[in-house]
Amino acid sequence: MILPPAVLGLLGGGQLGRYFTLSARTMGYRVWVLDPDPDSPAGRLADRHLCASFEDRDALAELAAHADVITCEFENVPAASAEWLAAHAPMRPNPRALAIAQDRIAEKRFLEDAGVAVAPWLALDSLAAARAAIPDWGFPAILKTARLGYDGKGQVPVSASGGVVRAFRELGDVPCVLEQRVELDREVSVVLARGPDGRCRSFPVAENVHRQGILHLSRVPARIDAALDAQAEAVAQRIAEHLDYCGVLAIEFFVCRTGELLVNEIAPRPHNSGHYTLDAVTVSQFEQQVRAICGLALAPADLIAPVAMINLLGDLWPEGQGLPDLSRVLAQGRARLHLYGKPAARPGRKMGHVNILGVPGESDASQPARLAESLWGELAEGHSR
């Protein structure tokens, strides 16, 4: 068990790291952040910000020398850096989990080896492989880069076999995954924590709506039946066990119109769809991350009230005029505003989010979701004026 005032090392300094830092410091821990951004949201709150590349061996050595345990809020840490850190300090999650999540080909193979259902897919590692893609394989599909794709980046829809080569070239002739599109009923996610003793706690399943590949809104409870809810939690725990995982892990699922549950991808860290836990659950995903990596007892993760979380992207920020008009949001007693302290807004950049709480004891998030969409619409309309 790692107790305060131990030093917790953090790889990555974005908004997920910011909330981890706040939770850790509230609990009496010290936090050292390694991130190359001098305006890192987490670095600005940490006890120490090592402003350096993830490949800077001197910075890695300094972090390893002072941290009692190291975790991440960013999975794309270079493999050599993660392995070096793990050889010199406790690292949770382990480098294998990071390596699998960094590469969609490795991720799909891992999931299948774990006995987890995924959408039909093909690994295309070359132009020749793209040319040889089976003509009647199952289009429409989507071609995704194997590495470094997120928030809809690194993805091209493909309607027929003739478009595979064109899409492969558009993505830079890099290894890709060709994934069959499935008939979706909805998308859901499970965020869970797993301690070093193997015990797990899952947060309530979130139902997610994306726009242009970026999470727009999450509502909890998700509109799925109890059997599917339990299945999603069981699959997430199976994945965590097969990874020998320690920390907070997010699993994104497709719910097909046939009722089949397919894993889309995994994220070895807290997740945007878990932001609702900051206000609507008895413990946040970030405090649970601290508890898991430090070997503390995991807290009960019970829903206090139905909730809708809506992302605030840089598209809503008036150019050169500071913040958007948030008065309507702040006039709502059940709205909880979270801004990430990022100095520059740009389209698609996550600048904050709002959690809208429903009435405790109710089991339907429709009213919070409607209010969240209404508030977002007013902000979008204000930006377009």
Side-chain angles (χ1 to χ4, degrees), residues 132-151:
I134 302 171
D136 60 351
W137 173 70
F139 295 92
I142 185 165
L143 190 70
K144 303 177 180 180
T145 56
R147 302 182 70 87
L148 300 178
Y150 67 97
D151 284 348

Side-chain angles (χ1 to χ4, degrees), residues 165-176:
V165 169
R166 182 172 60 252
F168 193 82
R169 285 174 170 159
E170 183 179 334
L171 292 173
D173 292 355
V174 297
C176 290

Side-chain angles (χ1 to χ4, degrees), residues 9-361:
L10 181 65
L11 300 172
Q15 63 267 19
L16 299 173
R18 179 184 178 91
Y19 286 109
F20 171 85
T21 301
L22 286 168
S23 290
R25 295 197 65 178
T26 297
M27 296 171 71
Y29 291 95
R30 292 169 289 164
V31 180
W32 284 36
V33 169
L34 174 60
D35 190 282
D37 181 3
D39 292 318
S40 155
R44 292 164 68 182
L45 298 180
D47 294 88
R48 180 83 186 275
H49 177 198
L50 299 171
C51 189
S53 162
F54 296 113
E55 298 176 295
D56 186 316
R57 187 54 59 89
D58 290 337
L60 294 172
E62 189 170 5
L63 184 66
H66 289 87
D68 294 276
V69 64
I70 298 171
T71 192
C72 63
E73 66 103 58
F74 169 76
E75 61 264 40
N76 288 313
V77 177
S81 298
E83 290 167 3
W84 188 92
L85 281 171
H88 292 83
M91 188 166 174
R92 297 171 176 169
N94 58 60
R96 175 172 172 260
L98 299 181
I100 288 171
Q102 287 174 7
D103 189 299
R104 283 193 172 97
I105 296 173
E107 182 181 68
K108 298 287 189 188
R109 288 172 176 160
F110 162 78
L111 291 169
E112 290 184 333
D113 288 345
V116 173
V118 297
W121 67 283
L122 290 173
L124 304 180
D125 58 3
S126 66
L127 192 58
R131 287 196 175 103
I134 302 171
D136 60 351
W137 173 70
F139 295 92
I142 185 165
L143 190 70
K144 303 177 180 180
T145 56
R147 302 182 70 87
L148 300 178
Y150 67 97
D151 284 348
K153 300 176 177 66
Q155 302 184 12
V156 178
V158 182
S159 59
S161 60
V164 175
V165 169
R166 182 172 60 252
F168 193 82
R169 285 174 170 159
E170 183 179 334
L171 292 173
D173 292 355
V174 297
C176 290
V177 165
L178 184 65
E179 185 178 290
Q180 188 176 42
R181 282 192 178 275
V182 296
E183 291 292 323
L184 278 182
D185 180 54
R186 64 194 72 240
E187 296 178 66
V188 300
S189 59
V190 173
V191 176
L192 64 78
R194 186 172 187 267
D197 59 0
R199 295 185 181 181
C200 286
R201 287 273 193 183
S202 295
F203 289 94
V205 178
E207 178 183 340
N208 304 315
V209 176
H210 292 81
R211 292 187 177 180
Q212 297 180 325
I214 302 175
L215 181 63
H216 173 63
L217 180 140
S218 295
R219 56 185 291 166
V220 182
R223 291 172 294 180
I224 57 176
D225 62 34
L228 199 60
D229 189 294
Q231 183 186 352
E233 289 193 11
V235 170
Q237 291 194 17
R238 182 191 308 172
I239 291 169
E241 289 164 4
H242 277 260
L243 286 171
D244 191 21
Y245 198 84
C246 182
V248 166
L249 175 70
I251 314 292
E252 296 182 3
F253 293 90
F254 296 140
V255 180
C256 302
R257 289 182 182 172
T258 60
E260 187 179 12
L261 189 69
L262 304 176
V263 172
N264 176 26
E265 61 184 27
I266 64 178
R269 51 170 173 76
H271 196 256
N272 192 176
S273 69
H275 280 334
Y276 75 90
T277 65
L278 285 162
D279 300 300
V281 179
T282 49
V283 65
S284 77
Q285 62 174 338
F286 304 101
E287 180 180 335
Q288 204 78 304
Q289 183 184 18
V290 175
R291 288 175 169 273
I293 67 169
C294 291
L296 312 182
L298 298 178
D302 301 322
L303 192 67
I304 297 169
V307 59
M309 185 284 301
I310 197 155
N311 270 329
L312 303 179
L313 304 183
D315 312 63
L316 301 175
W317 263 238
E319 188 173 352
Q321 299 179 34
L323 293 174
D325 182 2
L326 296 165
S327 57
R328 174 97 162 86
V329 173
L330 294 171
Q332 297 291 328
R334 292 193 176 276
R336 303 291 186 272
L337 174 66
H338 296 266
L339 296 179
Y340 303 150
K342 296 180 179 179
R346 58 177 180 267
R349 190 181 199 195
K350 294 169 184 171
M351 302 298 293
H353 70 271
V354 178
N355 286 331
I356 306 292
L357 301 181
V359 177

